[in-house]
Amino acid sequence: MRTTTSLTAACLSLSALLFTHAAAGAEEKHSLDYENQATWKGVLDQAQSPIDIVTREAKPAQANEPRAIVLRHLDRATGMAQDNGHAVQFNTHATEATIRGRYFRMAQFHMHAASEHTIDGKQFPLEGHFVFQAQDGRLAVVGVMYQEGRANRAIQGILDDLATAKGGAMPKSATLDIKPLLPRKLGYYHYLGSLTTPPLTQNVEWYVLKQPVSLSAEQLATLRKHYPRNNRSIQPLNGRPVIEFGG
């Protein structure tokens, strides 16, 4: 009886020792080295832009949270037209926005040909990115699709300024009515993505508007003379939700 009891106790002790060693090994395997945090690795490049927006898979925005985009100071915005080396751009801080209940100020907007985002696989001749920044640095980009149609007086002002510019930025400030560059209805598809040019920073809020805006064939051609193709390729969605709001 004593021999059996001693043998059982020895087996239990050995099992406990092996379990403790295994647990220590598992802990060591997954431990974090706080003295060399530069070696830490994260999940990168899984939330990039642009994407193809599949409308049937978009989820309706929740009714119990702010959803609308409200834009202010669109008329006579003071800024500067510029060819920044990879896009036609207009820099201005005059326009303000409330996006899903949070305050942003416009930094600039620029154009990509052809559109970077696609909607149900459809690509538009041009896409405008209206870049807004919050006080804490968070970025929100409102994407607008442009199609061939009637001439747009707002974009014509930018094209006229660029025609007289020499080597990039305009020599003096200009005023621009931004409102004609935006659709009347601000319904959107929203997702979390990235900048579409290096450094491709992630955690950018994207709001791709549903309703396109018209530019004339001549205006589209003039923009394409600056950059015939400056659109990034479509990136994988990787399970990110796309939220839909408004018409």
Side-chain angles (χ1 to χ4, degrees):
M1 184 72 173
R2 287 180 182 176
T3 303
T4 304
T5 302
S6 299
L7 182 59
T8 301
C11 289
L12 289 174
S13 297
L14 179 60
S15 297
L17 180 62
L18 291 173
F19 176 82
T20 301
H21 179 72
E27 182 179 355
E28 182 180 354
K29 183 178 180 181
H30 297 287
S31 63
L32 293 175
D33 184 355
Y34 282 89
E35 300 302 322
N36 294 285
Q37 297 184 26
T39 63
W40 292 6
K41 298 184 183 301
V43 179
L44 303 175
D45 301 330
Q46 296 299 303
Q48 290 287 299
S49 298
I51 62 169
D52 177 42
I53 297 168
V54 181
T55 58
R56 70 177 182 276
E57 296 178 0
K59 297 176 172 57
Q62 294 182 350
N64 61 351
E65 64 179 39
R67 295 168 291 172
I69 296 176
V70 180
L71 302 175
R72 297 177 294 277
H73 309 306
L74 293 169
D75 299 333
R76 296 188 62 78
T78 301
M80 185 175 292
Q82 181 184 26
D83 183 337
N84 67 11
H86 59 80
V88 173
Q89 180 172 304
F90 188 82
N91 304 311
T92 180
H93 301 290
T95 300
E96 300 174 359
T98 302
I99 302 175
R100 293 174 69 92
R102 291 165 299 132
Y103 175 82
F104 290 83
R105 183 177 290 275
M106 186 181 288
Q108 48 96 347
F109 66 85
H110 58 271
M111 303 294 172
H112 292 272
S115 71
E116 296 201 301
H117 291 87
T118 56
I119 299 178
D120 290 330
K122 178 181 178 180
Q123 189 171 48
F124 289 78
L126 192 75
E127 180 177 348
H129 291 167
F130 294 77
V131 182
F132 293 85
Q133 189 168 29
Q135 186 179 17
D136 62 3
R138 176 176 286 271
L139 294 176
V141 183
V142 175
V144 179
M145 300 298 179
Y146 295 98
Q147 62 187 5
E148 184 176 329
R150 299 178 61 181
N152 188 295
R153 60 182 175 85
I155 201 69
Q156 189 60 48
I158 294 176
L159 295 177
D160 292 343
D161 286 345
L162 285 171
T164 60
K166 293 182 180 180
M170 288 296 297
K172 61 181 181 179
S173 296
T175 57
L176 180 70
D177 185 2
I178 298 175
K179 194 171 184 179
L181 295 173
L182 298 163
R184 186 172 58 86
K185 296 182 179 180
L186 300 181
Y188 58 75
Y189 296 103
H190 164 55
Y191 75 99
L192 291 179
S194 71
L195 299 178
T196 63
T197 56
L200 305 175
T201 306
Q202 297 190 155
N203 203 29
V204 173
E205 298 183 13
W206 277 94
Y207 299 87
V208 179
L209 301 188
K210 296 180 177 182
Q211 186 177 9
V213 174
S214 292
L215 303 182
S216 71
E218 184 179 358
Q219 289 173 330
L220 289 169
T222 302
L223 285 165
R224 285 195 291 264
K225 284 181 182 178
H226 284 270
Y227 294 100
R229 181 185 182 276
N230 64 338
N231 59 324
R232 191 185 187 200
S233 301
I234 295 295
Q235 303 297 304
L237 187 60
N238 291 325
R240 287 173 284 171
V242 177
I243 308 302
E244 177 184 7
F245 171 71

